[in-house]
Amino acid sequence: MRKSWWVLLLVALLLAACGPRRVVVAPMLAVQELRRVDAEWAVKLRVDSVANVPFDLSALRVRVDLDGVSVPLPPQSLALTLPARGTETIDLRVTLPPAAVERLSAARDGRALYYRIDGEIESSKPSVRLLVDSEGRISAVPGVVDQFR
């Protein structure tokens, strides 16, 4: 009887040690919208988390490759809480290089443009720096000049 008590206690302690784990995975970034605003372009980035812990995002340093044209986005200081398995958006303003504007103009007929986002995103809680690498495509919004989704 006494031996089974210790075995039962040992099994209970081992199971307690195997509790839920924190999964810290880099969020996915996507271009949700790109539209001309005067001489600049407004970029709306969607940030999707697959992690089971929330992130307090503090900085974003990324570069977008738009159909072969490099578009460095200005580094951003953030004060954004990304919920566990949640989604948020980040609004940026950028001056596109002439080659990128030419590619967008040529895509007004509905042709999709492929993009790739790479760089890093920082979180203050948990304190981590995560590398991001995402890709996708955007197309012109029908009937709206200089707007892409």
Side-chain angles (χ1 to χ4, degrees):
M1 176 76 172
R2 192 170 199 121
K3 196 179 215 180
S4 63
W5 169 257
W6 285 105
V7 171
L8 192 58
L9 180 63
L10 180 63
V11 168
L13 288 174
L14 287 174
L15 287 175
C18 296
R21 295 177 25 184
R22 285 180 21 166
V23 177
V24 179
V25 179
M28 297 294 296
L29 295 178
V31 176
Q32 184 169 329
E33 183 180 63
L34 177 64
R35 63 184 168 83
R36 186 187 297 266
V37 178
D38 300 322
E40 294 183 314
W41 288 78
V43 180
K44 183 175 285 211
L45 290 179
R46 188 179 73 235
V47 185
D48 294 318
S49 176
V50 294
N52 65 358
V53 294
F55 287 102
D56 288 338
L57 303 180
S58 57
L60 175 72
R61 286 178 294 282
V62 295
R63 180 184 65 85
V64 175
D65 181 82
L66 181 62
D67 210 37
V69 178
S70 179
V71 180
L73 299 180
Q76 299 292 311
S77 293
L78 305 172
L80 181 69
T81 298
L82 181 61
R85 297 185 186 94
T87 300
E88 288 292 336
T89 58
I90 300 171
D91 293 314
L92 307 169
R93 292 286 180 106
V94 64
T95 301
L96 294 180
V101 175
E102 289 173 15
R103 300 278 167 91
L104 290 169
S105 295
R108 286 185 183 142
D109 62 0
R111 182 175 69 88
L113 292 176
Y114 291 89
Y115 67 84
R116 182 183 186 111
I117 303 172
D118 63 5
E120 66 182 23
I121 194 162
E122 282 185 38
S123 171
S124 58
K125 184 178 176 187
S127 181
V128 292
R129 183 175 292 171
L130 301 164
L131 298 178
V132 293
D133 187 8
S134 306
E135 51 187 49
R137 60 190 179 117
I138 57 173
S139 300
V141 175
V144 182
V145 177
D146 291 336
Q147 186 170 353
F148 299 83
R149 290 191 181 151

